[in-house]
Amino acid sequence: TRWNQVLYFAPVPVLDSLFERDENDKYILSWDLEKIVHSDDKPFENFSNEEKSTEWRFVEMYFETIFLIRFVKQLKYSWKTNGFRRLPFHVLNEYFTFIAFYVQLAFPIITLVIFVQLVKEMFSDHILPYVMSKEEQ
């Protein structure tokens, strides 16, 4: 039927080629998988040669989002590929991402400013006058 053709359209790997049994009769990954490497002849689909750490990539993406660099890149990509139908979705996505990242950046700063103001007020004569006077004696 058509459903079976669509359902099994992608090739299903033979699991016997991926796993083998060890001396305890448990399944382990096959040692032959180490022979499969990325090459120019057979590249991996999502392979990246960049040596950047995950944290550095996050920081880079974070500042690209905060300074709207990613937004400009998405606009250029949509313009080059004639993806004008996707443009409103890119705009909405970048807008909400910008708001989320900005809140993550601004919230600790605002909290710190409020905390410093609170501590300054606590040590003023308005809130803790007796503590100061006892220490002075």
Side-chain angles (χ1 to χ4, degrees):
T1 64
R2 276 191 183 168
W3 177 246
N4 285 337
Q5 290 175 350
V6 170
L7 187 60
Y8 299 109
F9 187 69
V12 179
V14 179
L15 293 181
D16 293 336
S17 65
L18 299 176
F19 296 100
E20 57 188 35
R21 292 185 180 264
D22 63 356
E23 60 273 355
N24 297 328
D25 205 30
K26 293 184 178 179
Y27 283 105
I28 61 169
L29 283 175
S30 175
W31 290 101
D32 294 333
L33 294 176
E34 289 184 357
K35 298 175 186 173
I36 302 173
V37 294
H38 172 78
S39 67
D40 291 334
D41 299 336
K42 291 185 176 181
F44 290 151
E45 196 67 31
N46 294 326
F47 184 76
S48 174
N49 279 331
E50 295 180 11
E51 294 293 328
K52 294 180 184 176
S53 66
T54 307
E55 293 85 11
W56 179 249
R57 283 186 285 164
F58 172 74
V59 168
E60 185 178 354
M61 184 192 68
Y62 192 89
F63 283 106
E64 282 182 356
T65 302
I66 290 295
F67 295 119
L68 300 175
I69 296 168
R70 272 187 66 201
F71 179 69
V72 173
K73 285 181 182 178
Q74 289 292 338
L75 288 177
K76 286 181 182 178
Y77 176 76
S78 294
W79 185 264
K80 286 180 184 177
T81 60
N82 292 329
F84 299 115
R85 293 177 295 190
R86 290 184 289 184
L87 191 62
F89 298 109
H90 285 303
V91 170
L92 278 176
N93 180 44
E94 291 302 319
Y95 174 74
F96 288 126
T97 305
F98 174 79
I99 295 296
F101 281 17
Y102 184 75
V103 167
Q104 289 178 12
L105 180 66
F107 181 75
I109 295 171
I110 292 170
T111 305
L112 183 65
V113 168
I114 291 172
F115 180 74
V116 167
Q117 286 295 98
L118 180 66
V119 169
K120 285 170 69 175
E121 285 292 324
M122 286 177 60
F123 287 112
S124 69
D125 291 335
H126 303 291
I127 295 177
L128 296 173
Y130 300 111
V131 174
M132 298 299 284
S133 62
K134 288 180 184 178
E135 288 177 359
E136 292 173 356
Q137 294 175 355

